[in-house]
Amino acid sequence: MYVLGIETSCDETGVAIYHSKRGLCNHLLYSQIEMHSEYGGVVPELASRDHIRKLVPLIKQSLQESQLSSADINGIAYTAGPGLMGALLVGAATARSLAWSWQIPAVAVHHMEGHLLAPMLEAPPPAFPFVALLISGGHTLLVQVDGIGHYRLLGESLDDAAGEAFDKTAKMLGLGYPGGPKLSKLAENGRPVFQFPRPMTDRPGLDFSFSGLKTYTMNTLNGSQKTEQDKADIAMAFQNAVADTLSIKCRRALKQTGLKRLVVAGGVSANKHIRACLTEMAGRENAAIYFPRPEFCTDNGAMIAYAGCQRLLAGQQQELEIFARPRWPISELSGL
Ligand SMILES: Nc1ncnc2c1ncn2[C@@H]1O[C@H](COP(=O)(O)OP(=O)(O)OP(=O)(O)O)[C@@H](O)[C@H]1O
Ligand SMILES: [Mg+2]
């Protein structure tokens, strides 16, 4: 079964074709980062308009590069939420219309389920059940995954998401958007002179909070000379605090569930220091750890094509309505 995957939930237009037996045939990504960077963040209306411009040409290119025609496609998977309403509607309307005209099923995919299943595109894929840490621009979730669609929320951020905290801290340090990768680069020149707090690790539970850490960073920056070296030292201290906090909570989640497999996904999982910290912790706990390849940590069409393919194989599909849900708790998903 060939599945066309479409991702338009935020500022990336992602398209991919996945075959249920042969795996990923092709994936293409157009990032709008340059367009939004002059505003310091995503402008929703500009995002929607750019998805309209880029989506159909990308679909044509993906078919061409895979040496397939529309008649070969057996189903379409599209991100239906959570995300920006206008941006989601572009993907949902295009997917639903193409599926109708090609007379094939369309399936709505939850964006975070896409992120969560992205490591399934790697070899070896993780077996169920596992603990998943999802760290992205809009979410920080710890989930027990018993199977596709069987998600038990273990913990989440009570305020800023991990990626949001990286982006806001980077802005404070005078770095551009999106700040995560830039802050991480700056931290490479840092010296271990500051020790930042590890929020919510001194009490039981698996929830996160990053907004206090952001304020602590701001106060440290304001109390310094704001030299390039100060900024690098602060970036390093911030990154270390986030990495340690995530690692402490993941260790707790593994202990609480008794599971020995940890999956880490979402944009922030591309961070080398966080990957190293979590890998070291997993090693100490005798647990296996799984990450997507760096390009599948951030938004992409491949994860949507994969997740949609699993749901289509299980007989799920959407009615003819154009389905988009900007807010959509992952715990509301049905299992296969
Ligand atoms: N190397 C890195 N270090 C830290 N953060 C990073 C790195 N690379 C990307 N990020 C962060 O990842 C986020 C983008 O990830 P992703 O595309 O998964 O999020 P999103 O799609 O905007 O949010 P969501 O998936 O929650 O809707 C941004 O906040 C970005 O700063
Ligand atoms: Mg995302």
Side-chain angles (χ1 to χ4, degrees):
M1 172 188 250
Y2 281 110
V3 177
L4 171 69
I6 294 177
E7 157 62 41
T8 64
S9 68
C10 190
D11 58 350
E12 249 117 25
T13 318
V15 168
I17 297 174
Y18 179 83
H19 187 271
S20 49
K21 294 212 170 71
R22 274 166 251 161
L24 193 62
C25 307
N26 172 271
H27 77 97
L28 299 169
L29 189 80
Y30 176 79
S31 171
Q32 304 176 350
I33 282 175
E34 212 179 301
M35 180 180 75
H36 297 293
S37 62
E38 83 173 272
Y39 304 98
V42 178
V43 183
E45 184 58 27
L46 293 182
S48 317
R49 290 177 193 208
D50 214 40
H51 286 309
I52 292 174
R53 275 192 290 271
K54 296 295 177 341
L55 185 53
V56 172
L58 277 181
I59 293 171
K60 283 186 179 163
Q61 188 185 339
S62 190
L63 284 168
Q64 210 169 42
E65 287 182 11
S66 310
Q67 298 183 330
L68 296 170
S69 80
S70 56
D72 297 312
I73 302 297
N74 307 106
I76 304 185
Y78 63 95
T79 302
L84 301 170
M85 189 49 157
L88 291 169
L89 278 173
V90 177
T94 307
R96 191 52 275 180
S97 311
L98 281 179
W100 181 78
S101 67
W102 295 349
Q103 297 183 20
I104 54 175
V107 67
V109 173
H110 190 287
H111 182 76
M112 299 315 291
E113 177 172 76
H115 275 305
L116 191 143
L117 298 178
M120 295 293 187
L121 292 161
E122 310 302 337
F128 299 112
F130 54 77
V131 170
L133 172 71
L134 295 178
I135 36 179
S136 61
H139 297 82
T140 304
L141 304 173
L142 258 173
V143 186
Q144 178 172 332
V145 179
D146 295 319
I148 293 178
H150 296 277
Y151 308 131
R152 261 185 274 180
L153 188 65
L154 302 171
E156 62 187 326
S157 178
L158 305 179
D159 39 59
D160 291 353
E164 193 180 356
F166 262 96
D167 292 338
K168 288 178 176 169
T169 305
K171 205 171 195 171
M172 239 185 261
L173 294 169
L175 307 170
Y177 167 85
K182 294 196 164 88
L183 189 148
S184 166
K185 186 100 192 74
L186 180 63
E188 286 173 14
N189 303 326
R191 302 162 309 175
V193 289
F194 296 113
Q195 176 74 7
F196 284 11
R198 277 51 176 156
M200 294 185 69
T201 54
D202 56 353
R203 64 188 98 159
L206 295 171
D207 286 334
F208 303 88
S209 163
F210 292 110
S211 91
L213 183 59
K214 202 177 56 193
T215 312
Y216 192 95
T217 309
M218 168 84 94
N219 292 340
T220 309
L221 179 67
N222 288 339
S224 77
Q225 302 288 316
K226 298 189 181 170
T227 63
E228 279 315 299
Q229 187 61 56
D230 288 333
K231 288 182 186 172
D233 296 344
I234 288 170
M236 186 193 201
F238 171 84
Q239 183 173 264
N240 284 348
V242 175
D244 252 13
T245 305
L246 295 173
S247 175
I248 292 166
K249 297 284 171 157
C250 284
R251 181 168 171 266
R252 252 185 223 173
L254 289 171
K255 286 213 180 303
Q256 184 178 309
T257 57
L259 296 174
K260 287 287 180 195
R261 280 183 290 270
L262 176 65
V263 161
V264 189
V268 182
S269 69
N271 183 287
K272 285 193 199 124
H273 179 67
I274 291 175
R275 282 170 102 103
C277 214
L278 289 168
T279 303
E280 196 203 345
M281 179 279 296
R284 272 187 272 120
E285 296 300 312
N286 282 322
I289 188 161
Y290 303 84
F291 298 96
R293 70 193 80 166
E295 63 185 317
F296 291 164
C297 288
T298 42
D299 293 351
N300 63 85
M303 66 186 194
I304 303 304
Y306 176 83
C309 182
Q310 308 315 309
R311 290 194 171 270
L312 286 167
L313 285 173
Q316 295 186 5
Q317 58 173 285
Q318 232 55 43
E319 299 295 319
L320 274 177
E321 95 256 43
I322 292 168
F323 178 75
R325 239 183 113 173
R327 286 178 182 274
W328 188 5
I330 197 168
S331 49
E332 285 184 15
L333 287 181
S334 61
L336 295 193

